[in-house]
Amino acid sequence: MAFEVFRDACGVPHVRASDELALVYGQGWVTARDRTWQVQTDRWRAEGRLAEHIGEAGVGWDVVAHRLRLPDTAQRAYAALGDDDRAWVDAYTAGVNAGLASAGRPVEVDELDRVLGGSTPGDPWPAWAPLGVFLVNHALFSTFPRVLWHDHVVRAARESGHPGLAALDPLDLVRLFDPASDGPSSGSNAWALHGSRTVSGRPLLAGDPHRVLELPGVYQQIRLACPEYDVLGLAFPGVPGLPHFGHAGTAAWGITNAVAHAAEVFRERLRRTGAGAWEALGPDGWEPVERTTAHVRVRGGQPLTVDVLETARGPVVVRGIPSEQDAAGAGTSDAPGTVASSAGDAAAAGVLAVDEAAGAAPDDAAPVAPDDAAPVAPDEAATARQDEVATGAVPAVTGEEARSVRMQPRVDDDLGFACLRPLLRARTARDVAAALAGWVDPVNRVLAADADGTVLSFDAGRVADRDPDDRLLPLRAWDPAHAPRPWRTLAAPRAVTDTAADANDWPSAPERHHGAVYSPDRATRLRALLDERRGRALGPSDMAEIHGDTHWAGAGRLLRQVAAVDGLTPAAAAVRDRLLAWDLHMDAGSHEAALLADLRGALVARLVAEPALVALAAPHRAGPAFDAWFGLRGRVGQALGALLDRADLGIDGPAHVRAALEEVAAGASQDETWGARHTVLPAHVLADVPGAAVPSVPALPLAGDQDTLRCTGTVPGVTDRAFRGSVARWVWDLADRDRSRWGVPFGTSGDPRSPHFADQHPRWAVARTVEVVTDWDRLTPEPLPDGVGE
């Protein structure tokens, strides 16, 4: 298909073609060339074949991918596409395959072959792969892992026998770890300025999405131009179009995550009925469970088989939980730790759980014979028991509970891909809203604006129709009050006449309250900065002050507890006084920010040893892919101030603060700056492969921290390096697109040998961006290989 590629000084690809299909083919081609390793690994994740290529390090992901039925969901959603959308996706996939065929061999593949032996295959993408890559980028970017953590907290607390924990209502117990109560979290920022607040008199949109800092970067800067549209923005490598951030000339858009309760977790009671069949207890009695078997090849190791169960609610993601009904002794009465019927946040995983007890090995994953196409022969005892069950000689109930997940893409065979082409054609803010009316998951808060001056704020996606308390813990599959409901319709767009700010905070209107756990600090600070600039007309370059802000309100709450402590040695008192005189900015050159981090880490280390919290470090059963959500140090760090106030749990907060101050005073790093230790810790697939050399970027000093606008997230008590942060920064000017700005961590290329692998990293490290270039005469044409682009 005929297309052209041009590059700017940062290596950003500008793709131009004579029609839409040739253009999306070109997008696939250039993406495969620029991000060869990345698109292949995401494709392996989407297929549940990561271990087949990287060995044991990929097993945890593959198991959960098959448990959640991600490959099957992506294939079903692809089959459900309309003809035009399917043709568009097919053209992109064809471009990816052509790009991969002409791309050089990634250095990471050479490294895998060196370490693991053999040769890494490079088979073509299947037709449904772009939907699989999209699903992989969002499958765990949901609230349901947090619900699994809440469930673990309640069960672990009950089993601990700790009197303070036992006295807490389950909802109060899980709210201990709500980041909105005190501690840091991280998410995304976006803000809009009406033309009455700008230099040009036209709207400005700006923001930065926060995710795990992966290498190569999560987002790809790209421009797509054909007679139907000319749009630039940020794409997911491996996914066509610009689903989250784009500027079409007369219209622009950007999103933050709404932290909405869109995927539901259910408590399931299972029983085996013989011959490998299962049933689950539903509202109307026992129901059949769909059972399939997935085979996982492991490079350099033994293959596995994964027993995959799916109830009427959804795929079973956690199994082998002891039945509370059996433990209680009888009946179908509600067990402790459930929500009453009347009650109306991968590579980062290793960071968060680096010193925690490992998740229990999946009990539904077992070794298989080398020929994994052959069925696994059950052992004789298991066969005999199945026969006894089938004949009624023994009771059928296994005493097992499980947890299933109900996800909209799975229920409706819809990933929202029908939105992507209309979004590229948007000419006004209302066109953007109309294009996203069919968005599915995750639920996003959208800011859209146009050159005529309209600014809109709205939510896009589908949410579960549950009361707030029913969004915190698993629902009971057998309870009619908890039966699945249709997804709830979202509120209509509202006009913005001054400013709007979204940062994963409590929604301004009750009808937009779709979640249960929000993070208020960044939004409060963002609105304060916009208000401080009232009376001053702002332009694109002024947005750097907001992108780079390092104030952390959570430090102030912690320091109020520091101020109340007495009985300190002179050295500890001096540390206290320095902290109390500090301006709460986590600047790279700040000594006090480093002291605060030392104090925070010492407090986390002390609190995780508290008897009331030790029990929560018990092994979970969700498998290693979910370790990030169960790391106790990370959770305690998020709720630090709130936990220090819990004398009812036997926690002596003042004593811990006093001891932590003395520990910091005795340390040797009081003159160290925050930036000396606060550098980027990017996730890379090879990091988990023993003996593999991992590509790296310069360890530049960073400012900010988790819940500052300049998000550079750490795990207090585990690491001061940033594993999460702004994966792009963007400013869209609706008066002149060439005055817009953007930037990403690292660079546009995923090849460590490329000059554009990390050339944007120094600018990103100081929260700076560059102006967008759209004049074709200022861009450099890229020669294409023979036969390509013709």
Side-chain angles (χ1 to χ4, degrees), residues 134 138 219 234-236 239-246 253 255 420 423-424 436 439 444:
F134 183 84
H138 292 114
Y219 282 110
L234 302 168
F236 278 126
V239 178
L242 300 167
H244 290 162
F245 310 95
W253 61 92
I255 62 100
L420 301 186
L423 189 58
L424 293 171
L436 292 175
W439 189 260
N444 292 322

Side-chain angles (χ1 to χ4, degrees), residues 284-469:
D284 299 317
W286 291 100
E287 308 164 338
V289 171
E290 181 182 349
R291 177 180 180 268
T292 57
T293 298
H295 299 296
V296 176
R297 293 184 175 93
V298 182
R299 185 172 182 175
Q302 292 298 309
L304 303 174
T305 184
V306 182
D307 199 30
V308 180
L309 302 181
E310 184 167 8
T311 73
R313 271 69 51 195
V316 172
V317 68
V318 184
R319 288 182 56 188
I321 300 172
S323 170
E324 292 178 351
Q325 177 186 1
D326 292 349
T332 59
S333 62
D334 293 334
T338 62
V339 182
S341 299
S342 59
D345 97 86
V351 176
L352 279 172
V354 68
D355 64 339
E356 308 296 345
D363 59 357
D364 56 349
V368 299
D371 179 9
D372 65 354
V376 180
D379 60 65
E380 294 181 2
T383 303
R385 176 165 176 80
Q386 289 178 5
D387 291 342
E388 291 171 344
V389 170
T391 60
V394 298
V397 179
T398 66
E400 177 180 339
E401 276 203 9
R403 300 294 182 261
S404 65
V405 179
R406 183 174 185 255
M407 300 177 291
Q408 308 97 306
R410 182 72 185 163
V411 173
D412 299 329
D413 297 338
D414 187 0
L415 295 179
F417 259 53
C419 300
L420 301 186
R421 292 171 58 243
L423 189 58
L424 293 171
R425 289 181 164 80
R427 295 294 183 267
T428 69
R430 297 203 177 276
D431 288 346
V432 174
L436 292 175
W439 189 260
V440 178
D441 184 61
V443 181
N444 292 322
R445 294 180 186 170
V446 185
L447 293 173
D450 59 41
D452 291 334
T454 300
V455 182
L456 298 178
S457 173
F458 60 94
D459 299 327
R462 306 174 191 172
V463 296
D465 185 15
R466 300 289 177 185
D467 289 339
D469 283 353

Side-chain angles (χ1 to χ4, degrees), residues 65 181 241 340 519:
S181 66
S519 178

Side-chain angles (χ1 to χ4, degrees), residues 602-630:
L603 286 170
V604 169
R606 295 183 64 83
L607 284 177
V608 295
E610 278 283 349
L613 300 179
V614 166
L616 307 185
H620 62 87
R621 303 195 67 87
F626 288 98
D627 280 349
W629 285 268
F630 293 84

